[in-house]
Amino acid sequence: SLDVSGCEALQTLYCGFSELEKLVFKNNVKLQTIECSNCPIENLDTSECPALRDLDCSYTSINLLDVSDNEELIVLDVTYNPLLCLSLPIEYEGSIFGRDNQGDLSAYRLAIDKGDSIDLREFAPGIKASAISEVKGATIDGTVLTNFNERSEGMVSVSYVYDCGNGTKIDVELLIDITGDDEEENPPDV
């Protein structure tokens, strides 16, 4: 864990290729660059970094990223992250690496028992149902996925398009390993 709260003069933070699992920012008003790629970070809150212009959080485990408060952001690299949703500033016109032909997002992987559903809010609490479209491989109701390609067991791919705001969209993929039995095993009555 690295807490840079109180480092008000900090302008650049390079902590990539480390074992950092958590970064804490508070009142980092001059911080313009964060490079935390190739770390096992799962969550990143940059709302206290209003001057942030360049964020490289590629090759991490971040599945929900909200940079909507970072109105100065110009470059965002989320390549090979298992993103389920991304929220951008309203007037964002910068580059996003890790979508379309600029790179790839990695698939979010999870396992469920046969017959179970998946509420995406369990994994990405800030996800907006209204931003999800073009669902393939499952049925969606709000943020709940069911009917996974009508497969009873095995690996299933589910994809959707997520609207990040300002017309920017990302393609999201989930790889779901369906195992087990959806019925309780009870011995027959004798």
Side-chain angles (χ1 to χ4, degrees):
S1 179
L2 178 61
D3 186 342
V4 294
S5 302
C7 299
E8 295 175 12
L10 182 65
Q11 293 182 13
T12 304
L13 176 63
Y14 291 104
C15 57
F17 295 91
S18 70
E19 295 300 316
L20 278 177
E21 294 181 11
K22 186 175 182 182
L23 284 171
V24 179
F25 303 100
K26 186 165 179 149
N27 200 26
N28 297 103
V29 296
K30 293 184 180 180
L31 187 57
Q32 294 182 9
T33 302
I34 300 171
E35 200 283 19
C36 58
S37 65
N38 294 280
C39 293
I41 294 171
E42 292 182 9
N43 299 302
L44 189 62
D45 181 355
T46 59
S47 61
E48 299 259 354
C49 306
L52 188 63
R53 298 174 57 83
D54 187 346
L55 175 58
D56 181 355
C57 56
S58 59
Y59 296 89
T60 64
S61 297
I62 295 171
N63 63 4
L64 163 67
L65 185 61
D66 183 349
V67 291
S68 60
D69 290 331
N70 303 113
E71 295 178 4
E72 301 297 318
L73 194 63
I74 296 171
V75 176
L76 175 61
D77 191 345
V78 292
T79 306
Y80 289 106
N81 281 345
L83 282 179
L84 297 175
C85 64
L86 171 66
S87 297
L88 297 171
I90 292 171
E91 302 204 11
Y92 185 76
E93 294 181 6
S95 298
I96 301 175
F97 297 95
R99 66 176 194 95
D100 302 333
N101 60 357
Q102 299 176 1
D104 292 316
L105 296 176
S106 64
Y108 190 86
R109 297 173 182 268
L110 63 151
I112 63 169
D113 288 332
K114 183 170 48 172
D116 283 355
S117 61
I118 297 170
D119 187 345
L120 295 172
R121 285 196 173 127
E122 288 181 31
F123 307 99
I127 197 166
K128 297 175 185 152
S130 62
I132 301 170
S133 65
E134 301 178 40
V135 177
K136 295 178 184 162
T139 304
I140 194 160
D141 182 12
T143 59
V144 178
L145 295 169
T146 57
N147 302 325
F148 305 101
N149 261 348
E150 310 210 7
R151 297 260 322 251
S152 58
E153 289 187 34
M155 193 64 73
V156 174
S157 175
V158 174
S159 63
Y160 59 87
V161 174
Y162 193 81
D163 186 343
C164 307
N166 197 24
T168 302
K169 297 179 180 183
I170 58 172
D171 296 321
V172 176
E173 181 182 16
L174 290 87
L175 291 178
I176 304 165
D177 188 9
I178 301 174
T179 59
D181 194 354
D182 61 347
E183 298 177 14
E184 289 184 32
E185 293 185 21
N186 294 319
D189 291 339
V190 180

